[in-house]
Amino acid sequence: MSDTVVIGLDIGGTSTRATALTLTGERLGTGRAGGGNPTSHGAEQAATELLTALRGALAGTDPARVAAGTIGLAGAARLHADPAGRAAFDRAWHDAGLRCPYAVHGDALVAYASGTADPNGTVLIAGTGAITAQVRDLRLDRVADGHGWLLGDAGSGFWLGREAVRRLLADLDTGRTPGELTTAVLIELMGSADIAARPRDTVDATIQAVTRRPPVELARLAPLVVTAATAGEPVANALIAEAAAHLAASVGRIRPAGATTPVVLGGGLLTWDTPLGTAVRAEVARRWPDAPLRTAGDGAAAAAWLAARDLAEVTDPAALHARLFPIP
Amino acid sequence: MSDTVVIGLDIGGTSTRATALTLTGERLGTGRAGGGNPTSHGAEQAATELLTALRGALAGTDPARVAAGTIGLAGAARLHADPAGRAAFDRAWHDAGLRCPYAVHGDALVAYASGTADPNGTVLIAGTGAITAQVRDLRLDRVADGHGWLLGDAGSGFWLGREAVRRLLADLDTGRTPGELTTAVLIELMGSADIAARPRDTVDATIQAVTRRPPVELARLAPLVVTAATAGEPVANALIAEAAAHLAASVGRIRPAGATTPVVLGGGLLTWDTPLGTAVRAEVARRWPDAPLRTAGDGAAAAAWLAARDLAEVTDPAALHARLFPIP
C-alpha cells in the first residue's frame, strides 16, 4: 500500500484547521490555529496560523510523504490580487517542510466536497452570510447571492438578526407588548426588558445599541431566533419560514428545475439540526424531489480529499470519500 | 392692523430657508442658506447659515417687529443634548437683531403644519428615509419607522435604491438580460451596461461600487425607479407598489382604523406627482376613505404659522393657514 499522504486546510474567519490523510482515508493528524485569512488578518498572521495548523497535522509524519495539498479559503478569488498573501502561504508551506504543490479553492467548493463526491451539484451555505453555488466538475460555476449584508445574504444569520430587531421596533411603534422573541432581543441589546414611559425612547436606544457596532454583528442575534423557533414561538417561526424561502429562492436562481444532482447544505445555520435546516431541507425536497440532500462536514478533510483525487494512484475517489464521510 | 411679524425657519440637510410673515399672511421676505443642522454641520456653521437665512428674510423689515419665531429641524429632539448647538442658535438669533423667543420643532411637525391647520392628524414623510407620526394638539405624538436605513425606512428613497440594485444582482445571478430599470442602475453604478464574460465579475464590481460609498447614498438611485415606473416599466412598478404598501403599513401601525383626521404627505418622494405619491394616496384613501389627504408645502412658512398661532392677537389661525396654503 502507498505511503503517500495528502493534506487539507480549511481557513475560516476565526479558525484554521488542517488534516493529514493517507490515501486509504486514515487520518494521520489534525492541527488547529486561529483565523488565517490573509485578506482579513494580514499576510504575517496568516502565515503563522497556517504553519501552526500544518505542524499540528504533520506531527509524527514525515512531510516528504505529502504528495498534494489543498487550501479552502473564503474569498479565495481575492488571493490573486494579494501577492503578499500568496507569498505568506508559500512560506508557511515551505517552513512546514512541504515540497509538493498546493491548490487554493473557495470555502464553498470545500463545503460542497465535504458533503458529496459527485463532481456536479449545488451547495447552499447559510451562516453570517448566505451564498449558493452550482458546482461543475468540482469547480464553482454559477453563484447566487453572497452579495453581503447591505445588498443581499437573504435568509442568513445577519438577515435573521436584523429582522428580529425590526419585529421588536414594530412592536414598540404599535404599542404591542413584545412577544417572547422580541423580548429576548430587547434584553440582549439593552440588558433589560424595560420599556420607557415614552416607547420612542426605547426605540431610539435600541437603534443606537445596534448602530454602535458593525452591522454584520446583527448576526449574533440569529441564535435567539433559532432558539425561539425551536420552542414554537410564532414570530420566530414566521422568520424561519421566510428565511428558508429566501434561501430556496437563491438556489432556484441557478439550479435547473428537475435537477437530480446532490444539494449540500453548509454553514452554522444549516449543518445542525435547527428549525432553519429542517425548513430548508423540506423546501429543497419539495422543489427537487429527486436530489440527494447532504450536509457539509469536516472542511479540512474535504480539502485533503480534493488534493487526493487528482493523484494518479487514487483510482476510486468516490470510495475514498465514502470512507472519509460515511452517510449516516 | 397689527404690524407684528413672525418668522419661520426650515433647516434641512442641504439648505436652510427662512420666511417673515405678517399676521395677515403677507410674505415680507424670504432667506436661503446652506445646511444648518448643528448635529450634522457643527455649531459654528449652523449659526452662520441661520444668520444668513434670517437676514435674507428680514431685509427691509425692522427685527423689533418680530414677535415670535419657530425653527423646524430634523432631529430637533437631539438639540436638548447639544448645548453648543443651542448656543449657536441663540447667537444667530441675537445677531439678526431678534429679541423675541423662538421654539424648535421637529421637521415632521413642520411638514404636517404645512399641509393642514388641523391640530390632530397624521404625517407621512418619504425622502431619503421614511417616517410616520401622529400629531396631537400640534405636537408629535406616536411615531412609526424613521428607524434609519439599517433597520427600517421601509419604502423610502434608500429602500427603493437598494431594492433596485438587488433586482440587478438577481438578473446577473440568474443570467437574465437586465431590463430597462436594472440596466439604468448598472449604467449609473458602473458607467456602462456591459456585463463581463463571467457575470459574477460584474456582480462583484457592482457590489464594490455600492460599498465604496456610504450606504445611505443608495437613495440617489431612487429617481431611476421613479422615472422607470412613470414609463410603465414592470420591475419599477412592482417596487413602487411594494414601497407604497410599506409606507401605508407604517401609517397603519399608529393611525386608528376609521380615523377622519387629515393625512399629510411630505418628503421628496411624495410631494411631487410621482408614481409613488399616486400609489400611496390610493392606499391611504382605501384604508381611511374619510380622511382629507394633503400635501406638504413650504416648511418655512409653516414654521412661521406655528409661531403666529400662539400669539394672542391671532384669533383665527385656521384662516391664516388657508391664506398661506390655499388648497388647489
Side-chain angles (χ1 to χ4, degrees):
Chain A
M1 198 61 209
S2 151
D3 71 347
T4 299
V5 172
V6 289
I7 194 154
L9 282 119
D10 185 22
I11 304 185
T14 56
S15 72
T16 297
R17 288 155 194 267
T19 293
L21 294 181
T22 68
L23 298 189
T24 55
E26 188 194 351
R27 281 173 168 80
L28 295 177
T30 58
R32 194 169 173 170
N37 194 316
T39 309
S40 44
H41 295 89
E44 279 317 302
Q45 190 185 335
T48 305
E49 303 294 349
L50 199 65
L51 183 57
T52 301
L54 285 170
R55 283 190 170 145
L58 290 168
T61 300
D62 176 4
R65 287 174 61 195
V66 179
T70 292
I71 298 175
L73 177 71
R78 283 195 297 271
L79 204 62
H80 296 295
D82 181 5
R86 289 190 70 83
F89 280 7
D90 286 347
R91 197 167 57 247
W93 204 256
H94 188 268
D95 290 353
L98 296 166
R99 296 297 174 266
C100 62
Y102 65 91
V104 180
H105 289 298
D107 54 345
L109 182 73
V110 171
Y112 175 80
S114 74
T116 179
D118 195 321
N120 300 298
T122 305
V123 59
L124 165 60
I125 301 178
T128 300
I131 191 167
T132 305
Q134 284 292 90
V135 173
R136 185 153 58 170
D137 292 332
L138 282 175
R139 289 285 181 278
L140 293 184
D141 188 29
R142 296 177 56 205
V143 174
D145 207 345
H147 298 151
W149 60 265
L150 179 60
L151 294 167
D153 289 358
S156 67
F158 168 82
W159 186 95
L160 282 173
R162 187 188 59 195
E163 293 305 308
V165 177
R166 281 190 170 152
R167 295 304 187 284
L168 167 63
L169 296 176
D171 285 347
L172 295 169
D173 279 355
T174 51
R176 269 195 306 265
T177 304
E180 210 175 305
L181 170 63
T182 49
T183 298
V185 170
L186 184 58
I187 292 172
E188 174 69 25
L189 290 173
M190 305 298 300
S192 122
D194 295 345
I195 296 171
R198 259 176 38 105
R200 189 70 185 179
D201 293 340
T202 302
V203 167
D204 291 341
T206 301
I207 293 170
Q208 280 161 25
V210 169
T211 52
R212 256 198 303 272
R213 308 174 71 143
V216 74
E217 290 198 21
L218 279 164
R220 77 198 154 84
L221 300 172
L224 298 180
V225 184
V226 171
T227 302
T230 304
E233 209 265 356
V235 174
N237 280 347
L239 290 182
I240 292 290
E242 208 181 324
H246 278 302
L247 295 171
S250 258
V251 176
R253 283 190 194 165
I254 52 172
R255 181 177 167 89
T260 58
T261 54
V263 175
V264 178
L265 306 183
L269 284 169
L270 299 180
T271 44
W272 303 98
D273 180 22
T274 67
L276 184 59
T278 304
V280 167
R281 278 174 184 80
E283 188 63 19
V284 169
R286 193 180 64 75
R287 296 176 65 162
W288 294 277
D290 298 322
L293 259 168
R294 303 279 180 258
T295 301
D298 177 351
W305 175 77
L306 283 168
R309 72 184 294 287
D310 286 336
L311 298 176
E313 56 188 304
V314 176
T315 51
D316 190 350
L320 174 58
H321 194 279
R323 279 194 296 278
L324 286 169
F325 302 99
I327 292 172
Chain B
M1 197 63 210
S2 151
D3 70 347
T4 301
V5 172
V6 289
I7 195 155
L9 283 119
D10 185 23
I11 304 184
T14 57
S15 72
T16 298
R17 289 155 193 269
T19 293
L21 294 181
T22 68
L23 299 188
T24 55
E26 189 195 348
R27 279 173 169 81
L28 296 177
T30 57
R32 193 169 172 170
N37 193 315
T39 309
S40 43
H41 295 89
E44 279 316 304
Q45 189 184 335
T48 304
E49 303 294 348
L50 199 65
L51 183 58
T52 302
L54 285 171
R55 284 190 169 144
L58 290 169
T61 300
D62 177 4
R65 287 173 61 194
V66 179
T70 292
I71 298 175
L73 177 72
R78 283 195 295 271
L79 204 61
H80 296 294
D82 181 4
R86 291 190 68 84
F89 280 6
D90 287 346
R91 196 166 60 247
W93 204 255
H94 187 269
D95 291 352
L98 296 166
R99 297 296 174 265
C100 64
Y102 65 92
V104 180
H105 289 299
D107 55 344
L109 182 73
V110 170
Y112 175 79
S114 74
T116 180
D118 195 320
N120 301 299
T122 306
V123 59
L124 165 61
I125 300 178
T128 299
I131 191 167
T132 305
Q134 284 292 91
V135 173
R136 185 153 56 170
D137 293 333
L138 283 175
R139 290 285 182 276
L140 292 183
D141 188 29
R142 295 176 57 204
V143 174
D145 208 343
H147 298 152
W149 60 264
L150 179 59
L151 295 167
D153 289 358
S156 67
F158 168 82
W159 186 95
L160 281 174
R162 187 188 58 193
E163 293 306 308
V165 177
R166 281 190 170 152
R167 294 306 186 283
L168 166 63
L169 296 176
D171 285 347
L172 295 170
D173 279 354
T174 51
R176 267 195 308 263
T177 305
E180 210 175 304
L181 170 63
T182 48
T183 298
V185 170
L186 184 58
I187 292 172
E188 173 71 25
L189 290 173
M190 304 300 298
S192 122
D194 295 344
I195 296 171
R198 259 176 38 106
R200 189 70 185 179
D201 293 339
T202 302
V203 167
D204 290 341
T206 300
I207 294 170
Q208 280 161 25
V210 169
T211 52
R212 257 198 302 272
R213 308 173 72 142
V216 75
E217 291 198 21
L218 280 165
R220 79 198 153 82
L221 300 173
L224 298 181
V225 184
V226 171
T227 302
T230 304
E233 209 265 357
V235 174
N237 280 346
L239 290 182
I240 293 289
E242 207 181 325
H246 278 303
L247 295 171
S250 257
V251 177
R253 282 190 195 167
I254 54 173
R255 180 176 167 88
T260 59
T261 54
V263 176
V264 178
L265 306 182
L269 284 170
L270 299 180
T271 44
W272 303 99
D273 180 24
T274 67
L276 184 58
T278 304
V280 167
R281 279 173 183 80
E283 188 64 20
V284 170
R286 193 180 64 75
R287 296 175 65 162
W288 294 276
D290 298 321
L293 258 168
R294 303 277 181 257
T295 301
D298 176 353
W305 176 76
L306 284 168
R309 72 185 294 286
D310 287 336
L311 298 176
E313 55 187 304
V314 176
T315 51
D316 190 351
L320 175 58
H321 194 279
R323 279 194 297 278
L324 287 169
F325 302 99
I327 291 171

